[in-house]
Amino acid sequence: MDKVNSSVVSEFVLLGLSSSQELQLFFFVFFSVLYVVIVLGNLLIIIAVTSDNSLHSPMYFLLGNLSFVDICQASFATPKMIADFLSEHKTISFSSCITQIFFIHLFTGGEMALLVSMAYDRYVAICKPLHYVVIMSQRTCTVLVMVSWTVGLVHTLSQLSFTVNLPFCGPNVVDSFFCDLPRVTKLACLDSYIIEVLVVVNSGILSLSTFSLLVGSYIIVLVTVWFKSSAAMAKAFSTLAAHITVVILFFGPCIFIYVWPFTTYPVDKLLAIFYTVFTPILNPIIYTLRNRDMKAAMRKIMTYYLRPKKISEIPLVVRNSFY
């Protein structure tokens, strides 16, 4: 295969979620509201983690990074999907399509690794509480975040190395709302069976290995506290419940779409929406509603920014402009 892409297809046509005009108007409003909530909800978590001293701990540092990844994950394709609901011709250029593939695998791979880091943090906190401060130092947390981004970058570059030089010379209709790698690969003008196997193996190894690490860490934690007391068991389960919920909601659709052989199903669109839109909005809900410290920090932020300010609290430059 030539190093230079021999594609004659300059753009792809995205079929989107529905061809019904009424449904597209509904989807436009629905997903616009969801996207705003995703950005504001996760941004509020980031502000709370960085501004509240009581949240300056490894768990919240990783949570803040997860919120940043969620904003990125929701932003790689959702704004274009929302704009396409009002467009009759839903097209995307070849370069933009490759860019979408790059970012979706960068963010999903990074989030998988970051969830493993968060599980490791909970394992140390519950199973090695006396050594927690030493093990989960600021340096360790920074390394864990850097490793997460490195895993995502290596994953997406390996995926692109399989697909970026594929020749596209005829069909250019993608039955999705973004350039989903399995559907794009099927449009190549050659027998892409080997490429499909490589992509499945790549995604499968990452998804199943990280999922296995997560499940293994949860089992170790629960077995460890099982022999302590029922109160410790209840506390550990309460702590892990949010993590387990996020893992199931995030990994389920990813494993279904990318680990199975390249047979596409109608439900793939729904699952793609789930891990690109619904998971980023569920993360702030799950982690904040079950966390007393986070709820208290958010209340302080909301109170500070929304309550009427006294004249003495207004900056001097602003007060002078009143007169």
Side-chain angles (χ1 to χ4, degrees):
M1 187 180 293
D2 296 332
K3 290 185 179 180
V4 179
N5 190 287
S6 57
S7 173
V8 296
V9 172
S10 60
E11 64 180 18
F12 292 96
V13 178
L14 303 175
L15 294 184
L17 297 180
S18 174
S19 58
S20 169
Q21 189 65 31
E22 292 77 10
L23 276 178
Q24 291 195 61
L25 290 174
F26 168 76
F27 286 150
F28 172 77
V29 176
F30 179 71
F31 285 105
S32 295
V33 173
L34 277 186
Y35 182 67
V36 171
V37 173
I38 289 171
V39 173
L40 293 181
N42 284 287
L43 193 60
L44 187 59
I45 289 179
I46 295 173
I47 294 173
V49 169
T50 54
S51 63
D52 196 310
N53 291 330
S54 64
L55 301 182
H56 290 175
S57 65
M59 181 179 73
Y60 295 111
F61 175 77
L62 296 175
L63 178 58
N65 280 274
L66 178 66
S67 293
F68 176 74
V69 174
D70 281 337
I71 292 176
C72 295
Q73 177 138 324
S75 300
F76 86 96
T78 306
K80 175 168 175 52
M81 177 185 69
I82 293 172
D84 283 345
F85 287 136
L86 301 180
S87 175
E88 185 176 349
H89 302 288
K90 303 174 177 60
T91 60
I92 184 172
S93 67
F94 181 85
S95 59
S96 297
C97 183
I98 295 299
T99 301
Q100 280 195 346
I101 294 174
F102 172 84
F103 281 119
I104 180 58
H105 289 279
L106 172 66
F107 298 140
T108 53
E111 181 156 348
M112 288 179 184
L114 190 57
L115 287 172
V116 173
S117 300
M118 296 177 71
Y120 176 70
D121 170 75
R122 291 300 84 203
Y123 162 77
V124 175
I126 295 174
C127 298
K128 302 178 182 294
L130 298 179
H131 304 283
Y132 179 75
V133 177
V134 176
I135 296 175
M136 295 302 298
S137 63
Q138 183 63 44
R139 181 177 178 275
T140 302
C141 293
T142 303
V143 169
L144 289 174
V145 172
M146 292 177 64
V147 168
S148 299
W149 283 103
T150 302
V151 168
L153 183 62
V154 171
H155 172 60
T156 192
L157 290 178
S158 61
Q159 294 287 59
L160 285 181
S161 68
F162 302 143
T163 58
V164 70
N165 290 320
L166 288 175
F168 297 93
C169 52
N172 68 334
V173 179
V174 180
D175 187 15
S176 185
F177 61 93
F178 71 102
C179 284
D180 197 11
L181 182 58
R183 297 176 185 271
V184 171
T185 306
K186 293 175 73 70
L187 301 178
C189 299
L190 49 72
D191 184 2
S192 58
Y193 175 77
I194 295 179
I195 302 297
E196 292 177 2
V197 171
L198 291 174
V199 170
V200 168
V201 169
N202 189 326
S203 297
I205 290 175
L206 178 62
S207 300
L208 292 179
S209 61
T210 51
F211 184 74
S212 299
L213 286 173
L214 288 167
V215 173
S217 69
Y218 297 150
I219 292 175
I220 292 173
V221 169
L222 293 177
V223 170
T224 300
V225 299
W226 178 271
F227 297 100
K228 292 184 178 180
S229 66
S230 58
M233 182 68 177
K235 183 179 179 181
F237 185 79
S238 176
T239 303
L240 294 178
H243 295 266
I244 295 172
T245 303
V246 170
V247 166
I248 293 174
L249 295 177
F250 180 74
F251 277 87
C254 290
I255 291 175
F256 184 89
I257 293 175
Y258 286 97
V259 176
W260 263 256
F262 271 44
T263 302
T264 56
Y265 301 94
V267 74
D268 285 356
K269 284 186 184 181
L270 177 62
L271 295 177
I273 291 175
F274 212 89
Y275 72 81
T276 57
V277 179
F278 289 136
T279 300
I281 199 175
L282 287 175
N283 280 352
I285 295 175
I286 291 172
Y287 282 111
T288 55
L289 291 183
R290 298 183 60 87
N291 191 295
R292 185 182 308 168
D293 294 334
M294 182 61 71
K295 286 191 290 185
M298 286 189 168
R299 276 196 298 267
K300 286 194 289 186
I301 293 174
M302 298 293 288
T303 302
Y304 177 79
Y305 284 104
L306 295 181
R307 69 182 175 87
K309 294 184 179 296
K310 299 178 182 179
I311 294 295
S312 59
E313 295 176 335
I314 301 176
L316 183 60
V317 175
V318 179
R319 273 187 277 165
N320 290 339
S321 65
F322 292 159
Y323 303 99

